[in-house]
């Protein structure tokens, strides 16, 4: 009788443990999906990004440009321009709004001497 009770208790604990393991697996899968989605947003989506950044540097070597001008020169949409600017080295580029028109964003190369500390 006592052995049967222990056997029944062990089976019950084993089943509970299996349920917990299944739930943990479900949660781990969900977390992995979220993690993969976050990592995907942090990496450039194609080989064009380094080329566009290089072209941006070339264009901006002649002076500051508005985002609209850069979009036309690079042939990108406003959404792509924002994504591209988020990928550039902030030590090399400066983004600011044009005085008098706070809606107009401007990008320029930072001077090399301003980076020296």
């Amino acid at each position: 009788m006592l052995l049967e009770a222990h056997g029944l208790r062990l089976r019950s604990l084993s089943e509970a443990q299996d349920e917990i393991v299944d739930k943990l697996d479900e949660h781990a899968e969900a977390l992995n999906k979220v993690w993969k989605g976050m990592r995907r947003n942090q990496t450039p989506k194609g080989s064009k990004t380094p080329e566009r950044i290089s072209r941006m540097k070339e264009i901006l070597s002649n002076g500051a440009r508005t985002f609209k001008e850069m979009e036309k020169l690079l042939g990108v949409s406003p959404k792509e321009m924002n994504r591209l600017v988020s990928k550039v080295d902030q030590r090399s580029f400066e983004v600011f709004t044009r005085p008098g028109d706070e809606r107009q964003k401007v990008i320029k190369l930072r001077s090399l001497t301003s980076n020296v500390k």
Side-chain angles (χ1 to χ4, degrees):
M1 182 81 171
L2 186 58
L3 287 175
E4 281 181 28
H6 284 296
L8 186 59
R9 176 85 174 129
L10 284 175
R11 265 185 259 129
S12 175
L13 288 173
S14 178
E15 290 172 3
Q17 182 179 6
D18 290 343
E19 288 177 23
I20 291 170
V21 168
D22 289 342
K23 285 291 182 189
L24 283 172
D25 287 342
E26 287 177 32
H27 289 291
E29 286 177 29
L31 286 171
N32 284 332
K33 285 180 184 178
V34 170
W35 177 249
K36 285 178 185 176
M38 290 173 58
R39 283 193 1 231
R40 182 178 36 229
N41 291 337
Q42 293 175 349
T43 57
K45 292 187 179 180
S47 61
K48 292 180 183 178
T49 299
E51 294 170 20
R52 287 178 176 161
I53 291 172
S54 177
R55 178 87 174 107
M56 276 178 62
K57 287 180 181 179
E58 186 180 312
I59 294 167
L60 294 173
S61 66
N62 296 322
R65 301 286 182 137
T66 65
F67 271 41
K68 290 278 186 207
E69 291 171 326
M70 291 300 294
E71 289 163 13
K72 287 178 186 173
L73 292 169
L74 294 171
V76 297
S77 69
K79 183 178 177 180
E80 289 172 312
M81 184 66 191
N82 283 328
R83 188 186 66 77
L84 188 59
V85 169
S86 73
K87 301 293 180 194
V88 300
D89 185 354
Q90 299 300 317
R91 295 171 297 176
S92 299
F93 294 88
E94 181 179 357
V95 176
F96 57 95
T97 56
R98 181 153 284 165
D101 188 356
E102 299 297 315
R103 296 171 300 163
Q104 197 171 37
K105 289 197 279 188
V106 178
I107 186 168
K108 73 173 192 170
L109 284 174
R110 292 183 186 266
S111 65
L112 294 176
T113 57
S114 67
N115 292 334
V116 177
K117 295 192 181 202

